[in-house]
Amino acid sequence: MNAPRRRADATENRARILKAAREVIVNANEVKLNEIAKRAGVGQGTLYRHFPTREALLAEVYRKDVDDLVAAAPKLLAEHEPLAALVGWLDRVAEYAKVKREVFAAVEAGVWQDLSAHSLGPIGETLTTLLDAGKAEGVVRPDVDARDIILLIGYLTRLEPAEWDARAHHLLRVIVDGLRRHA
């Protein structure tokens, strides 16, 4: 049985709520639902109809970021050579990790485990696609796999907000330099 279709205005409200929630998560010290509703241009009732709990909203922001991150890889590969596509994708990973860190800090352990399960499979598969393209072109070392990269980029969750801009993307470039195949 298919899920019921949402009205166009309800779909638009949901999208605005998710966008506003992501902005608040990234830019505010505290995630306040009334601020999210205000930024989205909806009332509290509308927000709660779509997301009955704070955790449900944060989890959906996180899931959407994972889905967007995974969807970006084929587009990047179509527009760039494999190593440049990997670099572009890792830049997106840095932004995703900023949201991930804040979401995980705001939700309880049970939700955290569900979100981790949602992201590791698709992200690992996406990394494998990007790495395989680079290996096929001979620009990525043959001895690395997706798990290696996932472990290396784990540092993103340890960065303090004050050092984010200086270190997040710089360290991703260090990782990419280590992935390059040398003659």
Side-chain angles (χ1 to χ4, degrees), residues 72-88:
K75 294 175 188 171
L76 289 166
L77 281 171
E79 296 171 8
H80 305 283
E81 58 90 12
L83 203 54
L86 178 60
V87 169

Side-chain angles (χ1 to χ4, degrees), residues 156-172:
L156 289 165
T157 62
R158 304 245 185 234
L159 291 176
E160 297 295 326
E163 63 184 344
W164 186 267
D165 291 335
R167 294 191 186 274
H169 294 277
H170 168 73
L171 291 173
L172 287 171

Side-chain angles (χ1 to χ4, degrees), residues 16-93:
R16 283 200 327 263
I17 292 167
L18 288 170
K19 182 177 185 242
R22 189 179 193 287
E23 290 169 2
V24 169
I25 290 167
V26 171
N27 297 313
N29 291 332
E30 185 180 352
V31 177
K32 295 183 178 179
L33 295 181
N34 60 345
E35 173 64 20
I36 292 169
K38 182 178 173 184
R39 281 189 188 209
V42 300
Q44 292 280 30
T46 299
L47 187 144
Y48 282 108
R49 255 191 314 281
H50 288 280
F51 304 100
T53 65
R54 180 175 183 253
E55 289 77 14
L57 173 58
L58 295 174
E60 189 60 27
V61 169
Y62 178 81
R63 284 187 187 97
K64 182 174 181 338
D65 269 17
V66 169
D67 294 343
D68 290 349
L69 185 63
V70 169
K75 294 175 188 171
L76 289 166
L77 281 171
E79 296 171 8
H80 305 283
E81 58 90 12
L83 203 54
L86 178 60
V87 169
W89 191 79
L90 287 172
D91 283 340
R92 291 171 186 245
V93 167

Side-chain angles (χ1 to χ4, degrees), residues 7 38 99 104 109 151 169:
R7 293 186 343 237
K38 182 178 173 184
V99 171
F104 281 12
L151 290 170
H169 294 277

